[in-house]
Amino acid sequence: MRLILLGPPGAGKGTQAKHLQDRYGIAQISTGEMLRAEVAAGSPVGHEAKAVMESGRLVSDDIIIRMLGHRVEQPDAAKGFILDGFPRTVPQAEALERLLAEKCMHLDAVIELRVDDAVLVARISGRFTCNNCGAGYHDTFKPTARAGVCDVCGGHEFIRRADDTKETVAARLDAYHRQTAPLLPYYASRGILRAVDGMADIDEVARQTQMVLSGLRTDI
Ligand code: AP5
């Protein structure tokens, strides 16, 4: 199964992608996480991406398309994948279409997580992640069961993203509406766009996503 999760920053793409990865055993491919790893490693790509990401703008299509091309060739993506944060522009979507066609593959669905802009700032500003295992939490919507202890690995160190400031979130939302939202009619015209109410709580969004996927004719 090959899916795209599409939605604005904070819509819940990463949260739902992890659910799907656990449920179906297919790879979550997050271009945002890949870029943050490049920044942390101090690589040339990381150097180029850092300031762009912290300003809330999009990293160049060239860099992203090259990075994604390498990633989907990894063995863990052979069975299928969930794209989280890619594509984000029409040129990226076109590049993906070419890449999949070369491999005689196709996309099964594009799932749009619909969330009003007003709640996104609250979601993003409350987000934190375990520094050891990467499990994601939220101060209000998904706190750890025991304060200061990761539910998954028992870790005690948590991090907040450098681009999760109020100002940067506004720029990221603007980039979403100008550059990414045009992908909705792009995929609707291909008959593979499905919408889920991303305003519902995390479990309900997972249930609705599950319903959409159970209607697809795929092997997984
Ligand atoms: P990226 O890392 O992709 O960030 P994003 O798209 O802005 O999305 P987020 O990770 O902020 O949100 P999400 O939808 O995954 O929400 P989450 O599940 O965490 O990109 C970062 C930057 O990298 C970009 O700005 C850009 O510069 C660059 N970049 C990346 N890909 C690129 C590309 N393809 N092209 C160019 N540049 C690229 O949820 C958010 C919070 O809300 C969490 O705390 C969660 O617990 C909570 N939550 C989730 N769902 C719910 C719910 N239903 N109810 C209540 N709370 C919820």
Side-chain angles (χ1 to χ4, degrees), residues 8 40 70 81 85 93 102 132 154 191:
H70 291 306
F81 47 75
E102 277 166 22
N132 182 44

Side-chain angles (χ1 to χ4, degrees), residues 191-208:
I192 54 172
L193 182 70
R194 304 285 181 275
V196 160
D197 175 18
M199 300 284 284
D201 66 36
I202 293 174
D203 290 344
E204 174 59 17
V205 178
R207 197 189 63 79
Q208 286 189 27

Side-chain angles (χ1 to χ4, degrees), residues 10 13-15 31 36 57 85 88 127 137 161 172 200:
K13 303 181 295 293
T15 303
T31 42
R36 282 185 285 282
R57 286 172 292 130
R88 259 177 151 98
R127 168 170 54 188
Y137 298 97
R161 274 169 47 178
R172 284 160 61 193

Side-chain angles (χ1 to χ4, degrees), residues 5-18 28 30-36 49-61 63-65 67-68 84-89 92 113 115 119-120 122-129 136-143 161 163-164 168-169 171-173 175-176 179-180 197-206:
L5 293 184
L6 194 61
K13 303 181 295 293
T15 303
Q16 296 302 327
K18 285 205 164 56
Q28 173 194 9
S30 158
T31 42
E33 279 180 18
M34 291 165 73
L35 288 168
R36 282 185 285 282
K50 187 172 188 287
V52 179
M53 291 170 78
E54 286 178 2
S55 71
R57 286 172 292 130
L58 295 185
V59 174
S60 80
D61 287 339
I63 288 184
I64 297 288
I65 290 165
M67 208 172 69
L68 196 276
D84 156 12
F86 179 94
R88 259 177 151 98
T89 62
Q92 290 182 20
L113 297 178
V115 183
V119 308
L120 296 171
R123 281 200 191 172
I124 289 174
S125 53
R127 168 170 54 188
F128 61 99
T129 307
Y137 298 97
H138 190 280
D139 292 328
T140 311
F141 308 127
K142 195 187 168 196
R161 274 169 47 178
D163 62 344
D164 279 353
T168 311
V169 171
R172 284 160 61 193
L173 270 174
Y176 175 78
Q179 293 172 274
T180 308
D197 175 18
M199 300 284 284
D201 66 36
I202 293 174
D203 290 344
E204 174 59 17
V205 178

Side-chain angles (χ1 to χ4, degrees), residues 13-214:
K13 303 181 295 293
T15 303
Q16 296 302 327
K18 285 205 164 56
H19 270 276
L20 294 170
Q21 175 173 254
D22 293 346
R23 182 168 182 117
Y24 295 105
I26 53 176
Q28 173 194 9
I29 298 182
S30 158
T31 42
E33 279 180 18
M34 291 165 73
L35 288 168
R36 282 185 285 282
E38 297 284 349
V39 171
S43 71
V45 165
H47 277 299
E48 205 171 325
K50 187 172 188 287
V52 179
M53 291 170 78
E54 286 178 2
S55 71
R57 286 172 292 130
L58 295 185
V59 174
S60 80
D61 287 339
D62 285 355
I63 288 184
I64 297 288
I65 290 165
R66 212 175 325 123
M67 208 172 69
L68 196 276
H70 291 306
R71 180 64 186 87
V72 295
E73 284 175 356
Q74 301 307 306
D76 68 331
K79 212 170 121 189
F81 47 75
I82 308 138
L83 296 176
D84 156 12
F86 179 94
R88 259 177 151 98
T89 62
V90 170
Q92 290 182 20
E94 290 168 344
L96 176 65
E97 213 161 78
R98 286 193 298 273
L99 185 78
L100 293 178
E102 277 166 22
K103 297 175 187 299
C104 300
M105 292 174 174
H106 66 277
L107 281 173
D108 294 294
V110 177
I111 298 179
E112 178 197 3
L113 297 178
R114 283 193 185 155
V115 183
D116 297 344
D117 284 5
V119 308
L120 296 171
V121 177
R123 281 200 191 172
I124 289 174
S125 53
R127 168 170 54 188
F128 61 99
T129 307
C130 173
N131 197 25
N132 182 44
C133 72
Y137 298 97
H138 190 280
D139 292 328
T140 311
F141 308 127
K142 195 187 168 196
T144 53
R146 276 177 59 210
V149 183
C150 175
D151 297 354
V152 178
C153 73
H156 288 83
E157 259 187 57
F158 296 91
I159 44 174
R160 291 183 191 255
R161 274 169 47 178
D163 62 344
D164 279 353
T165 64
K166 214 172 163 189
E167 298 71 31
T168 311
V169 171
R172 284 160 61 193
L173 270 174
D174 180 59
Y176 175 78
H177 289 298
R178 281 188 302 106
Q179 293 172 274
T180 308
L183 293 178
L184 297 171
Y186 179 94
Y187 285 118
S189 71
R190 283 157 177 74
I192 54 172
L193 182 70
R194 304 285 181 275
V196 160
D197 175 18
M199 300 284 284
D201 66 36
I202 293 174
D203 290 344
E204 174 59 17
V205 178
R207 197 189 63 79
Q208 286 189 27
T209 305
Q210 190 54 50
M211 295 256 296
V212 168
L213 298 184
S214 60

